[in-house]
Amino acid sequence: MRVSTNWDVNPQDLELISSGYTHAHYKMIETLRNHGVNIEANDFSAPIKFSFCSPPYHDKYEDQYIIGCSSHESSKLPDDWIEPFEKVDEIWSPSTFGLNVFKEYMGDKATTVFPHGVSEIYAPVKRNNGRMFTFLHVGEPYQRKMGRLVAEAFEIAFKNRKDVRLIFKTNGSRQHGLPKHKISTRASNIIIMSKYLTLTEYILLLNSSNC
């Protein structure tokens, strides 16, 4: 079976890539190849295309059967995702929760849970439950991350508490879901981290967070 995909990833480059979508895409493609699927990037003659990306970027070439696979963490589908999903033939999700949301909006077109796959570098660790409890929010400014709602809920529950903090880790840009008028007045225990991290640095950040 020949399958096309959006792009290919050199495993040697993963340490320098901050995008979670890129790492997940690599693990999915690796799994398909390990099961005998002949999958190559931008093979326009392949009868099937596996498209793992945010829905507005799903596309296909002529008569390809397109499997659109996207991540989602909210019970509501963004309005601008409906039309792109209508263009794909089948919808997959990395989680059962996400697939159930897709089914609610797109019906029987949502068919399959395809887990990301977990790299051995993501190993369980014993976390420090000491004097500071850290919430970590990752992926701003992507719409599905709903950072504004996270910040507002955190301020209601924990504003200015010295034993709790929220770290906003952006995708390497200075953009995030906090409204501009809130930046200068945000709670002192909300931290915005916009620098790029290597994979090793990111794992250390995960391991130092509680939730």
Side-chain angles (χ1 to χ4, degrees), residues 92-104:
W92 291 9
S93 169
S95 71
T96 301
F97 173 85
L99 188 70
N100 288 337
V101 174
F102 294 158
K103 283 181 178 179
E104 183 178 343

Side-chain angles (χ1 to χ4, degrees), residues 9 13-24 122 138-140 142 144-145 169-173 193-202:
V9 181
D13 296 334
L14 288 177
E15 174 70 22
L16 302 176
I17 296 174
S18 62
S19 167
Y21 254 100
T22 302
H23 285 266
Y122 296 99
V138 178
E140 287 299 304
Y142 296 124
R144 63 188 176 87
K145 298 296 184 176
K169 176 65 188 79
T170 76
N171 65 353
S173 73
M193 182 183 294
S194 58
K195 64 168 287 190
Y196 278 104
L197 300 179
T198 66
L199 181 58
T200 301
E201 291 172 330
Y202 178 60

Side-chain angles (χ1 to χ4, degrees), residues 132-136 163-167 205 208-211:
M132 176 66 71
F133 190 97
T134 300
F135 290 94
L136 176 64
D163 60 334
V164 183
R165 66 179 176 176
L166 168 64
I167 296 178
L205 177 62
S208 65
S209 304
N210 300 97
C211 181

Side-chain angles (χ1 to χ4, degrees), residues 138-164:
V138 178
E140 287 299 304
Y142 296 124
Q143 182 185 25
R144 63 188 176 87
K145 298 296 184 176
M146 294 295 181
R148 179 174 184 165
L149 295 181
V150 172
E152 290 176 349
F154 182 84
E155 285 193 319
I156 291 172
F158 303 112
K159 186 173 183 178
N160 294 327
R161 277 185 52 174
K162 298 184 182 302
D163 60 334
V164 183

Side-chain angles (χ1 to χ4, degrees), residues 65-82:
Y65 184 94
I66 182 169
I67 298 170
C69 185
S70 296
S71 297
H72 195 52
E73 298 92 354
S74 172
S75 58
K76 182 179 180 181
L77 207 63
D79 293 337
D80 59 353
W81 283 21
I82 303 296

